Amino acid sequence: MEKIKPKFIYNNLLNLYEDAKCALDYYDSYSLLIAIILSAQTTDKAVNKVTPLLFNSYKSIEELKDANVLDVQKIIREIGLYKNKSLNIIAASKMLFEDGYKEVPNDFNYLITLPGVGRKTANVFLAEYYNEQNFGVDTHISRISKRLNLSKTNSNPLTIEKDLINFFKDYSFKKTHHLLITFGRNICTSKNPKCSICPFNGLSKGCAK
Ligand code: SF4
């Protein structure tokens, strides 16, 4: 069985989800980074419910750095891991401010030193905000990459990231990421994938595993 070509995957997903975009609500680099930190192990929908009040109360890095942690906890308590996330977003804002940033910089190596920001968060942020060719690997991306045989079944997130960077090198990673995530939420779901309506049905031996 031949490996599916990137063009075939991209075009089919674009055909299905032309309007696929970031599901988190944000208005600048600050609000995007905070929303992505909050979205770890929580749905984007749940994050979007708490961020209007959060960003209304703390409009910038400068304002959030001075927030009282209990006040922040109260605002975001509906989302998972809210206690740690409250500490992280205040600490990340403090670090950004003390390092002289009013905006979140386009700098992967710096971003991964911020509290609550790992490789995936930094990659998702840079692709979304700065349109950089960075690929954030979450559970949807990981699962689909293995099912479509773009990565081996035992690959870790870093290997998958490298595989995808190489495989989709001619395409916008930002758009590809949104297309794959939307596909993972709607068709290639973790449990009971809707293979009968999938454009890749029968084309990848990874789907059988
Ligand atoms: S055929 Fe099924 S498992 Fe394979 S990519 Fe499509 S939805 Fe996912």
Side-chain angles (χ1 to χ4, degrees):
M1 192 177 277
E2 257 190 57
K3 201 169 176 175
I4 311 177
K5 300 274 188 292
K7 188 177 179 185
F8 186 82
I9 295 177
Y10 187 90
N11 285 348
N12 271 285
L13 292 181
L14 194 65
N15 201 25
L16 282 171
Y17 311 118
E18 196 187 343
D19 298 330
K21 61 179 175 57
C22 180
L24 290 167
D25 296 334
Y26 70 94
Y27 54 88
D28 62 3
S29 65
Y30 154 74
S31 54
L32 176 61
L33 182 71
I34 299 300
I36 299 173
I37 295 175
L38 295 182
S39 71
Q41 295 177 50
T42 308
T43 63
D44 291 349
K45 212 172 162 185
V47 173
N48 288 341
K49 274 191 192 159
V50 302
T51 47
L53 180 57
L54 181 70
F55 297 145
N56 206 30
S57 307
Y58 311 101
K59 297 185 176 63
S60 62
I61 289 168
E62 194 171 357
E63 290 187 16
L64 187 58
K65 80 173 195 323
D66 293 326
N68 177 300
V69 70
L70 294 179
D71 292 340
V72 173
Q73 281 183 12
K74 213 166 153 187
I75 295 173
I76 68 165
R77 65 180 310 135
E78 296 298 316
I79 62 170
L81 310 173
Y82 72 96
K83 287 189 179 171
N84 259 342
K85 288 176 182 174
S86 299
L87 290 169
N88 282 339
I89 60 174
I90 294 172
S93 301
K94 209 167 267 174
M95 194 169 148
L96 282 161
F97 184 80
E98 283 169 3
D99 289 335
Y101 295 113
K102 289 190 173 169
E103 292 287 325
V104 182
N106 183 349
D107 182 344
F108 178 83
N109 290 326
Y110 176 76
L111 289 181
I112 56 170
T113 67
L114 293 170
V117 179
R119 195 174 180 91
K120 182 192 79 177
T121 299
N123 281 332
V124 170
F125 172 82
L126 291 172
E128 177 64 24
Y129 197 74
Y130 289 110
N131 228 341
E132 291 290 348
Q133 287 294 73
N134 287 62
F135 224 115
V137 176
D138 70 357
T139 51
H140 291 298
I141 301 284
S142 172
R143 180 178 70 253
I144 296 164
S145 301
K146 291 172 185 178
R147 285 178 175 170
L148 289 180
N149 248 12
L150 312 183
S151 272
K152 292 186 180 141
T153 43
N154 60 354
S155 299
N156 63 30
L158 184 57
T159 309
I160 296 171
E161 184 187 319
K162 286 180 185 161
D163 289 341
L164 293 177
I165 285 172
N166 185 43
F167 189 75
F168 287 111
K169 59 181 178 296
D170 297 329
Y171 296 85
S172 154
F173 289 179
K174 175 177 173 174
K175 189 67 181 177
T176 307
H177 188 262
H178 294 321
L179 290 170
L180 289 172
I181 297 259
T182 312
F183 176 58
R185 284 184 178 142
N186 293 287
I187 295 181
C188 195
T189 47
S190 169
K191 285 181 192 156
N192 305 317
K194 301 179 183 70
C195 303
S196 62
I197 58 163
C198 174
F200 315 119
N201 193 1
L203 300 181
S204 171
K205 58 182 191 298
C207 296
K209 289 170 192 160

